[in-house]
């Protein structure tokens, strides 16, 4: 099998590829993490990697003055999306993709943190999220975005209309977290302890829900990614 490269832009250590790492390797990808605290994404060739994944993080798209890396990533994504190169965004990554596509990103009506299933769109004939039907996924965000022009809405929740979008087979943005590993969920609770306390969200309840739902999500998330990778065009 010819090996390909996936570059994963990582903003915070524990928000990594998680359950997506194994199916990527099985599909023939070598994983290269780009930790933006150590490596400026402005130095990357936006078209070099076969696949670019932009992961989550605790900053916002509109925090570009405080965190200039936001501007660099949007510029990188703008070039990559213009070339229709395979690109996947998760949470902050999806918001950055939306911004790079000209859509507005802004605070949502409330923080959406917890486990719940998605309302999947029936408009997408081949909805890559079909394997997640009825599966509680992890939500952990305060911001939302308008659906980018030319994109198809794939999923919603009562609190957040635009939970996922695609543009053809090569572009996929996911506001939620399908990649989280149950065995590493404590990193999320500790790493975001201040956010949970500020929002009045009980980490004990989140931990119990993770024990109930993470195993099923790991299987469904891996199936989601495997199916999406198989339909990429190069």
């Amino acid at each position: 099998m010819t090996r390909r490269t996936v570059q994963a832009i990582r903003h915070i250590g524990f928000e990594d590829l998680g359950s997506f790492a194994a199916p990527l390797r099985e599909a023939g990808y070598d994983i290269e993490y780009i930790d933006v605290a150590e490596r400026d994404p402005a130095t990357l060739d936006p078209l070099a990697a076969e696949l670019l994944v932009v992961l989550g993080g605790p900053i916002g798209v509109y925090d570009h003055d405080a965190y200039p890396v936001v501007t660099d990533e949007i510029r990188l994504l703008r070039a990559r999306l213009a070339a229709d190169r395979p690109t996947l965004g998760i949470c902050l990554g999806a918001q950055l993709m939306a911004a790079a596509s000209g859509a507005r990103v802004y605070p949502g009506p409330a923080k959406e943190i917890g486990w719940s299933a998605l309302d999947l769109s029936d408009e997408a004939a081949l909805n890559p999220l079909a394997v997640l039907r009825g599966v509680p996924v992890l939500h952990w965000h305060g911001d939302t975005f308008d659906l980018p022009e030319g994109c198809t809405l794939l999923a919603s929740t009562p609190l957040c209309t635009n939970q996922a979008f695609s543009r053809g087979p090569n572009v996929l943005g996911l506001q939620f977290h399908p990649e989280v590993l149950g065995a590493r969920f404590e990193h999320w609770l500790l790493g975001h302890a201040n956010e949970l306390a500020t929002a009045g969200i009980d980490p004990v309840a989140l931990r119990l829900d993770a024990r109930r739902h993470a195993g099923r999500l790991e299987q469904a998330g891996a199936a989601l990614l495997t199916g999406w990778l198989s339909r990429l065009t190069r």
Side-chain angles (χ1 to χ4, degrees):
M1 179 186 294
T2 302
R3 304 300 295 181
R4 297 183 287 264
T5 299
V6 52
Q7 287 182 331
I9 293 182
R10 182 165 55 183
H11 304 91
I12 188 168
F14 59 83
E15 292 199 35
D16 55 17
L17 287 165
S19 66
F20 283 6
L24 280 165
R25 293 189 178 102
E26 290 165 9
Y29 288 88
D30 292 322
I31 295 170
E32 178 190 5
Y33 279 107
I34 309 295
D35 287 296
V36 297
E38 301 172 3
R39 186 173 173 189
D40 187 351
T43 64
L44 299 177
D45 178 348
L47 308 184
E50 286 293 326
L51 171 62
L52 180 71
V53 181
V54 185
L55 297 164
I59 59 177
V61 167
Y62 43 78
D63 290 333
H64 48 81
D65 288 338
Y67 300 98
V69 68
V70 169
T71 301
D72 294 335
E73 289 185 57
I74 290 174
R75 189 177 295 117
L76 177 81
L77 282 164
R78 192 173 289 132
R80 184 153 184 108
L81 295 174
D84 197 35
R85 293 284 280 158
T87 307
L88 169 65
I90 299 174
C91 201
L92 172 60
Q95 296 163 11
L96 289 163
M97 287 171 62
S101 301
R104 188 170 63 105
V105 182
Y106 50 94
K111 283 190 180 293
E112 187 172 31
I113 299 176
W115 296 79
S116 67
L118 300 160
D119 298 321
L120 298 183
S121 171
D122 294 325
E123 294 180 13
L126 284 174
N127 191 332
L129 309 188
V131 293
L132 296 180
R133 192 175 299 278
V135 178
V137 302
L138 178 64
H139 304 277
W140 204 305
H141 68 103
D143 291 345
T144 187
F145 49 83
D146 293 334
L147 184 68
E149 186 176 350
C151 292
T152 301
L153 179 65
L154 300 178
S156 303
T157 58
L159 190 63
C160 181
T161 300
N162 296 321
Q163 279 283 355
F165 64 88
S166 63
R167 194 193 71 194
N170 286 356
V171 174
L172 181 62
L174 307 174
Q175 175 62 83
F176 59 95
H177 288 276
E179 83 291 359
V180 65
L181 286 168
R184 292 183 53 78
F185 189 65
E186 199 67 22
H187 288 274
W188 290 67
L189 298 179
L190 291 168
H192 294 310
N194 185 63
E195 181 181 20
L196 293 176
T198 302
I201 294 171
D202 183 8
V204 175
L206 281 178
R207 185 182 294 113
L208 290 173
D209 283 345
R211 289 173 184 166
R212 280 194 287 264
H213 302 310
R216 186 179 176 197
L217 178 59
E218 287 170 23
Q219 293 182 339
L224 152 67
L225 187 68
T226 298
W228 182 68
L229 292 174
S230 72
R231 292 188 288 270
L232 293 178
T233 60
R234 296 178 175 84

